[in-house]
Amino acid sequence: MKSSKLDSLRIDNSVRERPRLPLAVILLGIALVAGVSLYFAIPRASDAERIAGKKKPANATSAALPASATNSTLTPRSATTSPLVKDSVLTVSGYIVNRERIELSPRFMGVVKWIGVKKGDAVTNNQVVVLLDDTEYHARETEIKGRLEATRANLEKSQLSYARVEKLVTAKVETQQQLDDWRLNVRVAEAQVKETQGQLALIQTYIDWTIIRSPINGVILEKLVDPNELVTPQSFGGTRGPSTALIALADPSDLQVEIDLNEADVAKVYLGQKCRISPEAYPEKTYEGYVAEKAPEASRQKGTLQIKVQIKAPDAFLTPELSAKVDFMRQP
């Protein structure tokens, strides 16, 4: 019984063997793949003709152009470039900047009452651009004027009393001490008048300071505050805090090109050296200039030395913060 069960569980050898592909079929597949690869790898004459056919229209077009047209296109370009290469020792790029940026700041804390300019407006020298609130200062001015009238009246009273006592002393009715006392009273009253006059002049100066004027003929670069905003004087050292400046302006006729010059080229540049400036936005325009400034120390991190090239006759095409190319000319 047990042997019959074991025989039923035994696996037949014919079932256990895996089917094997004939070796000839495998070799045939490898040969077929190799043949297809060689077919696509070997170049054919039709491919060369097709490539030549694609290039032919371009060559035909260039050949069809007359020689005069080709020369007229290429000759001016080389003629414009070659003098720059011959005359210059160095060509670098930089940025157009204002030589001076002026930020107007109030002399004391106050509230902006009115602003009469906006960004891009042209202003003239001594033009009123900002007004600060002057209500408090006008009230103090009225108070001081009243005090001045009182001190003048006191001075007049002292002078009259002194004159009266002087007559009495002459008539030997009053003593000399009384006369001396009134003389001192007159001097005190005169000092009080001068003191009050000084206070009035000071408050009038404060009132004048509430009127902010442009110090130059220029253009407004930035409006930094708005009406009804509290402003404070700019701190020492040029560190600008919030709402310390009112507006920023500059002279558009005083422009420079700021360049970070590589230390390897420093020997090629000297103060007063003539330059030719071409703005990147208008490469067909050129301007004359000269090296106006060289920084007293270099930047160790960048390995550069900052120089500034003054533009002699800038016009409306030159805009600050745009890039420009500078050719440093050879020394004649």
Side-chain angles (χ1 to χ4, degrees), residues 29-50:
I30 295 174
L32 181 62
V33 172
V36 172
S37 301
L38 289 174
Y39 175 79
F40 287 104
I42 297 174
R44 297 181 298 278
S46 59
D47 295 336
E49 292 176 359
R50 185 169 62 253

Short mmCIF file of all heavy atoms in Angstrom, two decimals, residues 29-50:
data_model
loop_
_atom_site.label_atom_id
_atom_site.label_comp_id
_atom_site.label_asym_id
_atom_site.label_seq_id
_atom_site.Cartn_x
_atom_site.Cartn_y
_atom_site.Cartn_z
N GLY A 29 19.88 33.32 -34.94
CA GLY A 29 19.41 34.61 -34.41
C GLY A 29 20.54 35.61 -34.25
O GLY A 29 20.41 36.80 -34.55
N ILE A 30 21.69 35.14 -33.76
CA ILE A 30 22.85 36.04 -33.59
C ILE A 30 23.31 36.57 -34.93
O ILE A 30 23.63 37.76 -35.10
CB ILE A 30 23.98 35.29 -32.86
CG1 ILE A 30 23.54 34.94 -31.43
CG2 ILE A 30 25.25 36.13 -32.83
CD1 ILE A 30 24.53 34.08 -30.68
N ALA A 31 23.35 35.71 -35.93
CA ALA A 31 23.80 36.15 -37.25
C ALA A 31 22.84 37.17 -37.84
O ALA A 31 23.25 38.14 -38.51
CB ALA A 31 23.92 34.92 -38.17
N LEU A 32 21.54 37.00 -37.60
CA LEU A 32 20.56 37.94 -38.13
C LEU A 32 20.72 39.33 -37.51
O LEU A 32 20.68 40.35 -38.21
CB LEU A 32 19.15 37.39 -37.86
CG LEU A 32 17.99 38.26 -38.39
CD1 LEU A 32 18.07 38.38 -39.91
CD2 LEU A 32 16.65 37.65 -37.97
N VAL A 33 20.93 39.40 -36.20
CA VAL A 33 21.12 40.70 -35.53
C VAL A 33 22.38 41.39 -36.03
O VAL A 33 22.40 42.60 -36.28
CB VAL A 33 21.16 40.49 -34.00
CG1 VAL A 33 21.56 41.79 -33.31
CG2 VAL A 33 19.82 40.00 -33.49
N ALA A 34 23.47 40.63 -36.20
CA ALA A 34 24.71 41.22 -36.69
C ALA A 34 24.56 41.75 -38.10
O ALA A 34 25.08 42.82 -38.46
CB ALA A 34 25.82 40.17 -36.63
N GLY A 35 23.81 41.06 -38.92
CA GLY A 35 23.62 41.53 -40.30
C GLY A 35 22.84 42.82 -40.37
O GLY A 35 23.16 43.73 -41.15
N VAL A 36 21.79 42.95 -39.55
CA VAL A 36 21.00 44.19 -39.54
C VAL A 36 21.86 45.37 -39.08
O VAL A 36 21.79 46.48 -39.62
CB VAL A 36 19.76 44.01 -38.65
CG1 VAL A 36 19.04 45.34 -38.48
CG2 VAL A 36 18.82 42.98 -39.26
N SER A 37 22.69 45.15 -38.06
CA SER A 37 23.54 46.23 -37.55
C SER A 37 24.52 46.69 -38.61
O SER A 37 24.76 47.90 -38.79
CB SER A 37 24.30 45.74 -36.31
OG SER A 37 23.39 45.34 -35.30
N LEU A 38 25.14 45.77 -39.33
CA LEU A 38 26.08 46.15 -40.38
C LEU A 38 25.39 46.89 -41.51
O LEU A 38 25.94 47.82 -42.11
CB LEU A 38 26.78 44.89 -40.93
CG LEU A 38 27.79 44.22 -39.99
CD1 LEU A 38 28.29 42.92 -40.60
CD2 LEU A 38 28.96 45.16 -39.73
N TYR A 39 24.15 46.55 -41.78
CA TYR A 39 23.42 47.20 -42.88
C TYR A 39 23.22 48.70 -42.60
O TYR A 39 23.40 49.54 -43.47
CB TYR A 39 22.07 46.51 -43.06
CG TYR A 39 21.19 47.19 -44.09
CD1 TYR A 39 21.40 47.00 -45.46
CD2 TYR A 39 20.15 48.03 -43.69
CE1 TYR A 39 20.60 47.62 -46.39
CE2 TYR A 39 19.35 48.67 -44.61
CZ TYR A 39 19.58 48.45 -45.97
OH TYR A 39 18.78 49.08 -46.89
N PHE A 40 22.86 49.02 -41.35
CA PHE A 40 22.64 50.44 -41.01
C PHE A 40 23.93 51.18 -40.71
O PHE A 40 23.96 52.40 -40.74
CB PHE A 40 21.69 50.54 -39.81
CG PHE A 40 20.27 50.21 -40.13
CD1 PHE A 40 19.72 49.00 -39.77
CD2 PHE A 40 19.47 51.12 -40.83
CE1 PHE A 40 18.41 48.69 -40.08
CE2 PHE A 40 18.16 50.82 -41.13
CZ PHE A 40 17.61 49.60 -40.77
N ALA A 41 25.00 50.47 -40.40
CA ALA A 41 26.26 51.15 -40.05
C ALA A 41 27.05 51.56 -41.27
O ALA A 41 27.76 52.56 -41.26
CB ALA A 41 27.10 50.24 -39.16
N ILE A 42 26.97 50.79 -42.37
CA ILE A 42 27.78 51.08 -43.55
C ILE A 42 27.16 52.25 -44.31
O ILE A 42 25.96 52.22 -44.63
CB ILE A 42 27.87 49.84 -44.46
CG1 ILE A 42 28.59 48.71 -43.72
CG2 ILE A 42 28.58 50.19 -45.77
CD1 ILE A 42 28.60 47.41 -44.48
N PRO A 43 27.92 53.39 -44.58
CA PRO A 43 27.36 54.53 -45.33
C PRO A 43 27.09 54.14 -46.77
O PRO A 43 27.80 53.33 -47.37
CB PRO A 43 28.47 55.58 -45.23
CG PRO A 43 29.71 54.82 -44.99
CD PRO A 43 29.32 53.60 -44.19
N ARG A 44 26.04 54.77 -47.33
CA ARG A 44 25.64 54.49 -48.70
C ARG A 44 25.71 55.75 -49.54
O ARG A 44 25.68 56.87 -49.02
CB ARG A 44 24.21 53.92 -48.72
CG ARG A 44 24.10 52.58 -47.98
CD ARG A 44 22.69 52.03 -48.05
NE ARG A 44 21.73 52.92 -47.42
CZ ARG A 44 21.53 52.95 -46.11
NH1 ARG A 44 22.22 52.16 -45.30
NH2 ARG A 44 20.64 53.78 -45.61
N ALA A 45 25.77 55.60 -50.81
CA ALA A 45 25.88 56.75 -51.72
C ALA A 45 24.64 57.61 -51.68
O ALA A 45 24.69 58.83 -51.84
CB ALA A 45 26.13 56.24 -53.15
N SER A 46 23.49 57.01 -51.45
CA SER A 46 22.24 57.79 -51.41
C SER A 46 22.23 58.77 -50.24
O SER A 46 21.70 59.87 -50.33
CB SER A 46 21.04 56.85 -51.32
OG SER A 46 21.15 56.04 -50.14
N ASP A 47 22.85 58.34 -49.12
CA ASP A 47 22.92 59.25 -47.97
C ASP A 47 23.76 60.47 -48.30
O ASP A 47 23.42 61.61 -47.95
CB ASP A 47 23.52 58.52 -46.77
CG ASP A 47 22.61 57.39 -46.30
OD1 ASP A 47 21.39 57.48 -46.58
OD2 ASP A 47 23.12 56.45 -45.66
N ALA A 48 24.91 60.28 -48.95
CA ALA A 48 25.76 61.41 -49.31
C ALA A 48 25.05 62.36 -50.25
O ALA A 48 25.16 63.58 -50.15
CB ALA A 48 27.07 60.89 -49.93
N GLU A 49 24.29 61.79 -51.22
CA GLU A 49 23.57 62.66 -52.15
C GLU A 49 22.48 63.45 -51.44
O GLU A 49 22.24 64.62 -51.74
CB GLU A 49 22.95 61.79 -53.26
CG GLU A 49 23.99 61.16 -54.18
CD GLU A 49 23.33 60.24 -55.20
OE1 GLU A 49 22.08 60.11 -55.12
OE2 GLU A 49 24.05 59.68 -56.04
N ARG A 50 21.82 62.83 -50.47
CA ARG A 50 20.75 63.53 -49.75
C ARG A 50 21.32 64.69 -48.92
O ARG A 50 20.76 65.77 -48.85
CB ARG A 50 20.01 62.54 -48.85
CG ARG A 50 18.81 63.18 -48.15
CD ARG A 50 17.93 62.13 -47.48
NE ARG A 50 18.64 61.39 -46.45
CZ ARG A 50 19.05 60.14 -46.58
NH1 ARG A 50 18.83 59.48 -47.70
NH2 ARG A 50 19.69 59.53 -45.58
#
